[in-house]
Amino acid sequence: MNYTERVNQHLDRYLSNQGSLTEAMRYSVLSGGKRFRPILTYTVANTFGTSLDLADSSACAVELIHAYSLIHDDLPAMDDDDIRHNQPACHKKFGEAQAILTGDGLQALAFEVLASDQLLPTKTRINTLQALTHAAFEMAEGQSIDLGVASKTIGIETLKNMHRKKTGALLSCSVQLGVLVSGCSNEDAQILNQFSEHIGLAYQIQDDVLDVLTPEEVLGKKQHSDIDKNKPTYPSLLGLSESKAEYESLYQQAFSSLGELSVDTTKLQALTKRLQSRAF
Amino acid sequence: MNYTERVNQHLDRYLSNQGSLTEAMRYSVLSGGKRFRPILTYTVANTFGTSLDLADSSACAVELIHAYSLIHDDLPAMDDDDIRHNQPACHKKFGEAQAILTGDGLQALAFEVLASDQLLPTKTRINTLQALTHAAFEMAEGQSIDLGVASKTIGIETLKNMHRKKTGALLSCSVQLGVLVSGCSNEDAQILNQFSEHIGLAYQIQDDVLDVLTPEEVLGKKQHSDIDKNKPTYPSLLGLSESKAEYESLYQQAFSSLGELSVDTTKLQALTKRLQSRAF
């Protein structure tokens, strides 16, 4: 069973009996998604020889936070996107009110899943909760900055700060949770922290580029949505080729970080290559 | 310093530096509110002679969850209320998108506050997080049921279940967090659990009644909002006088529960009387 199947199986279980929100939660969470965040968590844990059982709750929690953020981002008052994962967005299927509540419920559930994982020592659970609550907050703040700067002229540093929070924080946290459940050395933890910051920022710049280059049916959502909304992006500030160079450079730095780890990083390298070469 | 001042001081501190969401968070959280939930938490902790320092994070966390829920409830897609605490609702002041994100950020912050409280043993922090994440989930589910039953004919048991989740869960949790930080006996904890369920349900029935009876300027929000939205309520199902009798009976059961505790309950009795006689 690969990591995607593994996290899907656990998500399915967590979402099997959540009362009146079950249907909308399952529709949004189980209908698709690349599962990059949980795969990061599993791969880091596996890199240190940690049982994947100890990473299941973290893997599910980061995906639940990601899923909630997509539901809220798609709302008419936010990015107003009608299609997600090649199907009607949650609010198109269930209405805006239920979509807001589905997102709210998923956020609470993500933290409940971590707090309730009996396999993890309480100290580890607290550490993962501190990391994920903070990342979730930063994600909301990043999205708030994003909406505030539409149609405005901003500098590259403001854009970078926004991207770090909006997308980078949760991606970094996915790596960090893998570190926390594995209990690796402080040195390795610090190296992976750098690694996670590089791929977190690279991922979002790449997203901006893919939004320009990738057709709708491959993205699974609307193409050119940034341009349509007058959002400042890396391509709009630096141009396409310099943006590509920027994220390629960040991926190179990520590979360099991996080279410093005390353990075999074959799988983390393969995953980073997969991120680097993604088409959507 | 009374409990309201105490929780306000701590909320002010937590909301002093939260980046781009700070202004909207402070506007919504610090502008008013009865603070019944944190007062419950403090009063329970105090009843067992527990230092209030240990209850500060719980008191803030329950209020932050309550505040986020009000922001989302007031949204046009939800209850569509323009006034809250006698001022424009968050979305009227900052726009819908920022209001959604302000609520999202407050929910994450509530759990971060608990996870990061260094004064509490990790085991206690986990217990409070399990309780609050679960209550927050139930609250979202209760609101989802509430929106789903508008204009529908439902029975009293469905209404009671909805009320328990929508309002009762977080009120009960406020008591429960006081119990958890105080580390009282299992017997007392069970009695307070019953107590909290009685006042949780009583509070919401009373809310339904007050929505019919109390003028707008006293409520600090729109009167008759339930009737306007065709929401089934206790008064619409049972009539006003039977609804009053119902919540009075629940408060009496709450007082009875208090009588069974092993400690002096003067302050909890006084607080329950205050809830019982509230005008808004």
Side-chain angles (χ1 to χ4, degrees), chain B residues 104-126:
Chain B
D104 289 345
L106 285 172
Q107 177 164 214
L109 183 63
F111 301 128
E112 188 179 5
V113 161
L114 277 183
S116 306
D117 185 353
Q118 307 285 341
L119 297 177
L120 296 175
T122 51
K123 181 71 187 142
T124 307
R125 279 191 262 173
I126 284 296

Side-chain angles (χ1 to χ4, degrees), chain B residues 3 7 9 15 17 26 32-33 39 61-62 66 88 100 103 107 179 186 198 201 206 209 215 220 224 231 261:
Chain B
Y3 294 157
V7 74
Q9 203 171 81
L15 298 170
N17 187 19
R26 294 182 67 83
I39 291 170
V62 292
H66 176 56
I100 293 167
Q107 177 164 214
V179 165
N186 282 342
H198 295 321
L201 186 54
Q206 198 179 8
V209 170
H224 295 147
K231 283 192 176 184
L261 282 177

Side-chain angles (χ1 to χ4, degrees), chain B residues 68-79:
Chain B
Y68 119 68
S69 77
L70 295 182
I71 295 172
H72 282 191
D73 284 358
D74 287 343
L75 287 165
M78 304 266 278
D79 286 346

Side-chain angles (χ1 to χ4, degrees), chain A residues 18-20 25 68 72 77 97-98 101 104-105 107-108 111-112 116 122 125-126 130 133-134 137 141 144-145, chain B residues 18-20 25 68 72 77 97-98 104-105 107-108 111-112 116 122 125-126 130 133-134 137 141 144-145 147:
Chain A
Q18 299 295 355
S20 66
M25 287 182 163
Y68 119 67
H72 281 192
Q98 296 297 344
L101 292 164
D104 290 344
Q107 177 165 212
F111 301 127
E112 189 178 5
S116 307
T122 53
R125 278 191 261 173
I126 284 296
Q130 278 191 281
T133 53
H134 190 69
F137 185 91
E141 199 207 329
S144 156
I145 299 171
Chain B
Q18 300 294 355
S20 67
M25 286 182 163
Y68 119 68
H72 282 191
Q98 296 297 344
D104 289 345
Q107 177 164 214
F111 301 128
E112 188 179 5
S116 306
T122 51
R125 279 191 262 173
I126 284 296
Q130 279 191 280
T133 52
H134 190 69
F137 185 91
E141 198 207 331
S144 156
I145 300 171
L147 289 165

Side-chain angles (χ1 to χ4, degrees), chain B residues 3-269:
Chain B
Y3 294 157
T4 301
E5 288 162 355
R6 187 178 179 107
V7 74
N8 283 344
Q9 203 171 81
H10 284 279
L11 287 169
D12 184 281
R13 185 170 53 83
Y14 283 123
L15 298 170
S16 62
N17 187 19
Q18 300 294 355
S20 67
L21 290 173
T22 306
E23 190 192 347
M25 286 182 163
R26 294 182 67 83
Y27 175 85
S28 294
V29 178
L30 302 178
S31 60
K34 300 181 283 283
R35 308 296 191 227
F36 274 141
R37 291 157 192 80
I39 291 170
L40 270 171
T41 306
Y42 280 132
T43 307
V44 170
N46 180 263
T47 292
F48 293 99
T50 308
S51 161
L52 294 182
D53 294 345
L54 300 182
D56 286 328
S57 59
S58 294
C60 288
V62 292
E63 190 64 17
L64 291 169
I65 293 289
H66 176 56
Y68 119 68
S69 77
L70 295 182
I71 295 172
H72 282 191
D73 284 358
D74 287 343
L75 287 165
M78 304 266 278
D79 286 346
D80 194 15
D81 285 318
D82 290 351
I83 301 290
R84 173 67 64 180
H85 302 149
N86 290 309
Q87 65 178 12
C90 187
H91 67 275
K92 294 303 285 183
K93 172 87 176 171
F94 297 95
E96 279 181 58
Q98 296 297 344
I100 293 167
L101 292 164
T102 301
D104 289 345
L106 285 172
Q107 177 164 214
L109 183 63
F111 301 128
E112 188 179 5
V113 161
L114 277 183
S116 306
D117 185 353
Q118 307 285 341
L119 297 177
L120 296 175
T122 51
K123 181 71 187 142
T124 307
R125 279 191 262 173
I126 284 296
N127 290 340
T128 57
L129 278 158
Q130 279 191 280
L132 189 61
T133 52
H134 190 69
F137 185 91
E138 290 209 303
M139 189 184 68
E141 198 207 331
Q143 179 70 1
S144 156
I145 300 171
D146 190 24
L147 289 165
V149 299
S151 313
K152 285 188 189 154
T153 308
I154 59 167
I156 196 77
E157 281 310 312
T158 305
L159 187 69
K160 200 179 276 189
N161 176 46
M162 177 184 99
H163 276 4
R164 279 220 172 90
K165 291 188 165 172
K166 200 178 93 158
T167 316
L170 189 59
L171 274 161
S172 294
C173 185
S174 307
V175 172
Q176 211 183 334
L177 296 194
V179 165
L180 289 168
V181 299
S182 73
C184 66
S185 71
N186 282 342
E187 290 73 27
D188 282 346
Q190 278 174 17
I191 293 164
L192 279 169
N193 192 36
Q194 290 177 335
F195 164 79
S196 76
E197 295 202 353
H198 295 321
I199 61 165
L201 186 54
Y203 192 93
Q204 181 60 48
I205 302 175
Q206 198 179 8
D207 246 20
D208 285 2
V209 170
L210 293 173
D211 184 66
V212 179
L213 296 180
T214 310
E216 213 149 303
E217 59 275 20
V218 178
L219 279 178
K221 59 180 181 183
K222 206 165 173 307
Q223 195 191 358
H224 295 147
S225 63
D226 295 331
I227 299 169
D228 293 350
K229 283 159 200 139
N230 266 321
K231 283 192 176 184
T233 64
Y234 268 79
S236 73
L237 261 72
L238 295 183
L240 263 184
S241 60
E242 207 176 319
S243 299
K244 276 187 184 176
E246 180 79 17
Y247 78 70
E248 288 296 349
S249 157
L250 284 160
Y251 278 123
Q252 285 316 315
Q253 290 174 62
F255 283 118
S256 298
S257 295
L258 290 182
E260 294 168 33
L261 282 177
S262 70
V263 288
D264 178 20
T265 60
T266 311
K267 286 172 184 165
L268 272 171
Q269 285 184 54

Side-chain angles (χ1 to χ4, degrees), chain A residues 15 22 37 43 75 81 83 120 132 145 161 170 174 176 212 218 223 237 260:
Chain A
L15 297 171
T22 306
R37 291 158 192 79
T43 308
L75 287 166
D81 285 318
I83 301 290
L120 296 175
L132 189 61
I145 299 171
N161 175 47
L170 189 60
S174 308
Q176 211 183 334
V212 180
V218 179
Q223 196 192 357
L237 260 71
E260 296 168 31

